[in-house]
Amino acid sequence: MFIIMLFLGLIISIQVKAIELNKQKTESAKSDIAYYTNLLNIEKEYTVKTTAELEVLREKKNELLEKALIDSGYTTMFETLQKINRIAGFTEVSGTGVKVILDDQLVDDPRYPALTSAIHDSDIRQVVDIMRSGGAIAIAVNGERVVSTSELTCNGPTVQINKRKYPVPYVITCVGDPVKISTLLSNDYYLNGRILSNIDFKMELSDSITIPAFSDYDKINQYIDALKGDKVS
Amino acid sequence: MKRSRNLLGSISLLIVCVVLGVLVSLQLKSVNSAQNLQLNANKRLEEIQNELIQQTRINRDLADRYAELKNYVETVENQTFEADDAFQRIMEEKRNAEIFAGLTEVSGSGVVITILAGTDFFVRDSDLRSVVNELRAAGAQAISVNEERMVATSEIREAGPYIVINGKQFPSNAQFEIKGIARAEDLERAMLMVSGIGEQLELYNIEFEIVKSEKVTIPRLREDSPAYRYDMIK
């Protein structure tokens, strides 16, 4: 009897101690999370702020260049430069267009396994390719401008474009003929099959879509350094 | 009397044992759930830390760009324009943009992939698109399909017995030649990797050939291709 009582006492004291210890641990983890979340928010604010400032600087640079070139009589040269930049995807483009949103639709239903109802890189590629076929003049995936070197590949739970990784949902926007492009999209055999296997597909026609400039427009050396024997023609 | 004392003793022993059992199980349970809580918190913490590292990297990059652009704008502002390096910079920028946009002929080391058509099958647009995407993913800096330069808006689509590329028709039962410039080994590896695009083509009985070359030449975008025409719309 005595031994049992001793044991009982021991357990109670361990329990009390364990509870206290856990409380401490959880609290320290909580405060760590709060600390890093705060740091992350500061960094995010910086990103938003600097991106906006960069945009302002960029406009200023273009104005200065325009003025300098035109003042010096290089008007044609300036126009050529603008045209090249537009084809390269270094300028923002606005106009009528289509917006497609692709998302996972994971439900606890054996008819729709996660493998088929999750979005894959091939789904995004299909939408982008249809937009190209429909004559879109500018396309973006999650705000990343699709340019000549843009890859769309699967990278774990994310999809990589322009060397950056994005999770779901995927917002694919384009400037072009909204009726033509949306018709092609809604009649596509592959996409309709995917909708049947339960992916979340939304499409909007829009009067004003803005496609941003290529995010690496001022760092393109890394994209052309293998093209050594180039000739300007 | 003795019996009832024994009975009382047994009952109290029973109660104590039950309490003891409940306590032990509670203890185990609380340790378990505490561990789970702890694990979850650690996982969340790790996620946040990873995100933070990425965000910091993005910001460092942004800060560099900002400094560089600011420097550039100041140079242009403070210099007289004629005969100085501001003009040189514009020329270089123009040249780089032209190369990137696909408006110049380029050459470099790379691969030439020939998709051999048979008499009894047609090459599908999706096969060509998969190869092009794979080359892009492997870091190709310039790509052409049948001498059609692939730019941002280049389409590869089926239209009856043809495949249309940059607005030009090619019969889909003929041979297709895809060229890519980058490190040739990277491009070859991308094509031949296990369960990659190469195997996918074989699965559809499409024969292909990859030739590595020190000098692959890829033409500029045709003047009459859609990308130029769309440029009319601003």
Side-chain angles (χ1 to χ4, degrees), chain B residues 97-135:
Chain B
E98 257 176 336
I99 296 172
F100 182 80
L103 307 181
T104 61
E105 181 186 278
V106 289
S107 56
S109 79
V111 292
V112 177
I113 300 163
T114 311
I115 297 192
L116 306 161
T119 42
D120 53 345
F121 71 83
F122 295 84
V123 174
R124 300 175 309 169
D125 53 356
S126 56
D127 299 326
L128 297 176
R129 294 199 298 233
S130 301
V131 174
V132 169
N133 183 63
E134 208 57 46
L135 292 179

Side-chain angles (χ1 to χ4, degrees), chain A residues 171-199:
Chain A
V171 182
I172 308 159
T173 43
C174 75
V175 168
D177 180 345
V179 176
K180 187 174 173 191
I181 294 170
S182 63
T183 310
L184 282 176
L185 283 165
S186 23
N187 291 336
D188 186 64
Y189 179 76
Y190 172 90
L191 284 180
N192 282 322
R194 295 292 288 137
I195 292 165
L196 280 179
S197 69
N198 207 32
I199 61 164

Side-chain angles (χ1 to χ4, degrees), chain A residues 11 13-23 25-26, chain B residues 22-40:
Chain A
I11 283 184
S13 81
I14 288 177
Q15 170 81 359
V16 168
K17 222 170 167 185
I19 288 175
E20 263 175 30
L21 201 71
N22 280 336
K23 232 185 187 169
K25 270 193 185 168
T26 326
Chain B
V22 169
L23 274 180
V24 169
S25 80
L26 270 181
Q27 168 82 358
L28 283 179
K29 217 175 165 180
S30 89
V31 167
N32 248 341
S33 78
Q35 263 174 354
N36 275 341
L37 267 179
Q38 193 69 27
L39 270 180
N40 278 338

Side-chain angles (χ1 to χ4, degrees), chain A:
Chain A
M1 194 66 182
F2 172 71
I3 293 174
I4 290 175
M5 284 303 182
L6 193 70
F7 203 52
L8 193 66
L10 207 66
I11 283 184
I12 290 177
S13 81
I14 288 177
Q15 170 81 359
V16 168
K17 222 170 167 185
I19 288 175
E20 263 175 30
L21 201 71
N22 280 336
K23 232 185 187 169
Q24 275 176 15
K25 270 193 185 168
T26 326
E27 256 157 37
S28 87
K30 262 188 198 158
S31 78
D32 277 355
I33 289 179
Y35 173 73
Y36 284 108
T37 310
N38 187 32
L39 279 187
L40 183 61
N41 286 337
I42 293 172
E43 290 290 334
K44 278 185 176 164
E45 271 169 34
Y46 180 87
T47 310
V48 172
K49 190 178 127 248
T50 317
T51 310
E53 282 174 357
L54 255 182
E55 196 47 47
V56 172
L57 256 187
R58 198 172 172 229
E59 269 167 31
K60 194 170 174 194
K61 175 193 152 187
N62 286 343
E63 275 168 27
L64 279 171
L65 282 187
E66 181 174 0
K67 193 175 174 302
L69 282 170
I70 290 172
D71 285 355
S72 319
Y74 294 106
T75 319
T76 325
M77 158 92 168
F78 177 74
E79 278 164 10
T80 314
L81 194 62
Q82 295 282 80
K83 185 173 172 162
I84 293 168
N85 283 339
R86 274 200 298 277
I87 297 178
F90 296 170
T91 58
E92 196 180 270
V93 177
S94 304
T96 59
V98 178
K99 177 175 173 182
V100 169
I101 302 170
L102 297 176
D103 203 348
D104 297 343
Q105 189 154 262
L106 304 176
V107 288
D108 198 9
D109 184 334
R111 282 177 304 161
Y112 305 119
L115 187 67
T116 56
S117 55
I119 299 297
H120 294 275
D121 52 339
S122 47
D123 303 328
I124 306 172
R125 276 209 302 276
Q126 184 74 9
V127 172
V128 170
D129 283 327
I130 292 170
M131 287 173 172
R132 282 179 175 137
S133 297
I137 60 167
I139 305 168
V141 178
N142 284 24
E144 284 293 337
R145 178 71 169 266
V146 175
V147 292
S148 56
T149 54
S150 297
E151 78 287 10
L152 271 164
T153 53
C154 174
N155 205 314
T158 59
V159 167
Q160 183 179 316
I161 173 169
N162 293 345
K163 303 183 181 177
R164 292 171 183 79
K165 302 178 183 79
Y166 292 93
V168 284
Y170 299 102
V171 182
I172 308 159
T173 43
C174 75
V175 168
D177 180 345
V179 176
K180 187 174 173 191
I181 294 170
S182 63
T183 310
L184 282 176
L185 283 165
S186 23
N187 291 336
D188 186 64
Y189 179 76
Y190 172 90
L191 284 180
N192 282 322
R194 295 292 288 137
I195 292 165
L196 280 179
S197 69
N198 207 32
I199 61 164
D200 188 10
F201 177 95
K202 290 190 195 82
M203 180 168 73
E204 288 167 28
L205 280 66
S206 172
D207 284 339
S208 82
I209 292 238
T210 298
I211 307 286
F214 179 42
S215 46
D216 280 338
Y217 68 90
D218 54 352
K219 285 179 90 184
I220 59 162
N221 273 327
Q222 55 177 324
Y223 294 94
I224 56 171
D225 57 8
L227 309 175
K228 294 264 159 55
D230 51 85
K231 292 178 248 166
V232 180
S233 47

Side-chain angles (χ1 to χ4, degrees), chain B residues 184-230:
Chain B
E185 294 75 33
D186 289 351
L187 297 184
E188 191 187 43
R189 205 174 303 131
M191 282 299 296
L192 298 178
M193 75 181 179
V194 176
S195 72
I197 176 72
E199 283 187 12
Q200 193 187 314
L201 291 178
E202 275 162 17
L203 199 69
Y204 289 110
N205 281 326
I206 296 171
E207 281 182 54
F208 65 95
E209 234 174 52
I210 305 176
V211 180
K212 284 190 279 182
S213 165
E214 273 308 300
K215 194 177 183 213
V216 174
T217 301
I218 292 182
R220 52 168 297 167
L221 182 70
R222 265 186 308 108
E223 287 275 2
D224 58 339
S225 53
Y228 271 104
R229 286 207 300 278
Y230 295 142

